[in-house]
Amino acid sequence: MNTQLLADLTVFVLSLLLGFEVIGRVPTTLHTPLMSAANSVHGIVLAGALIIALTADGVLGYTLVFVTSAFAAMNVVGGYVVTDRMLEMFRPREGRR
């Protein structure tokens, strides 16, 4: 394991811990708007994972790129699903005006 990979993994693990701590302190009522607003961030993560895929070499690099891309794509899609559900609450229901 070279020093660059070790540094990258350290930053990755620290960012996971920090993100978990920050999101864990958000009040429950703000989770839906936070998820819908985070779509752009997840899109940037997905774009970054694809750029890193260009320099990946070896099984470990390809595995990390695949996992990162999969999680980022799930977050982007999930953010749009949550946003759609949130906006559905504000649409008038049929039979009730």
Side-chain angles (χ1 to χ4, degrees):
M1 193 180 287
N2 61 20
T3 57
Q4 181 64 37
L5 179 61
L6 186 60
D8 290 344
L9 286 175
T10 302
V11 169
F12 179 70
V13 169
L14 289 175
S15 66
L16 282 175
L17 294 173
L18 180 66
F20 184 76
E21 187 66 27
V22 168
I23 297 299
R25 296 187 184 273
V26 173
T28 306
T29 56
L30 295 178
H31 276 286
T32 300
L34 179 66
M35 181 67 178
S36 64
N39 281 337
S40 61
V41 174
H42 298 136
I44 292 169
V45 170
L46 185 57
L50 294 176
I51 290 171
I52 291 173
L54 295 173
T55 62
D57 57 349
V59 175
L60 180 62
Y62 290 127
T63 303
L64 289 175
V65 166
F66 175 76
V67 170
T68 304
S69 300
F71 282 140
M74 285 188 284
N75 279 328
V76 169
V77 171
Y80 282 111
V81 169
V82 168
T83 301
D84 186 52
R85 290 180 70 189
M86 183 176 64
L87 292 175
E88 186 68 32
M89 294 186 319
F90 297 106
R91 292 188 185 118
R93 295 182 186 186
E94 293 183 29
R96 187 182 84 170
R97 290 193 182 231

